[in-house]
Amino acid sequence: HAHQGMEITLLLHGAFSDETGQYHCGDLIVADERFDHAPMACPQQGCVCLMLTTAPPKRNRFTQMLRSFLKF
């Protein structure tokens, strides 16, 4: 998904990875509108995050990804 503003993510449980690397419980990730990524939860541990944003995600990119994932 793409961002319109800041996105701050605190990883509470498990792990995930994206184009920039792997993140684990306790990691804090800060992204701005220049960052476009496709995070994937760890298959073994899953992933629980708290995310704060200053603007909603770019709807067209996020919605297309969700529809593909959920098979709408």
Side-chain angles (χ1 to χ4, degrees):
H1 62 269
H3 308 158
Q4 295 187 80
M6 296 294 293
E7 177 183 271
I8 301 168
T9 304
L10 175 60
L11 189 44
L12 300 174
H13 174 78
F16 78 87
S17 61
D18 66 13
E19 294 79 358
T20 63
Q22 295 183 345
Y23 302 95
H24 304 278
C25 186
D27 286 347
L28 183 69
I29 304 97
V30 179
D32 64 18
E33 63 277 353
R34 296 172 292 171
F35 190 59
D36 189 359
H37 66 145
M40 297 288 294
C42 174
Q44 293 82 22
Q45 300 176 35
C47 178
V48 177
C49 296
L50 173 64
M51 292 174 54
L52 303 170
T53 62
T54 60
K58 292 182 179 175
R59 294 182 59 82
N60 59 342
R61 299 280 315 272
F62 191 69
T63 303
Q64 289 170 356
M65 179 183 68
L66 253 169
R67 284 189 180 149
S68 173
F69 178 73
L70 296 175
K71 308 266 192 265
F72 277 88

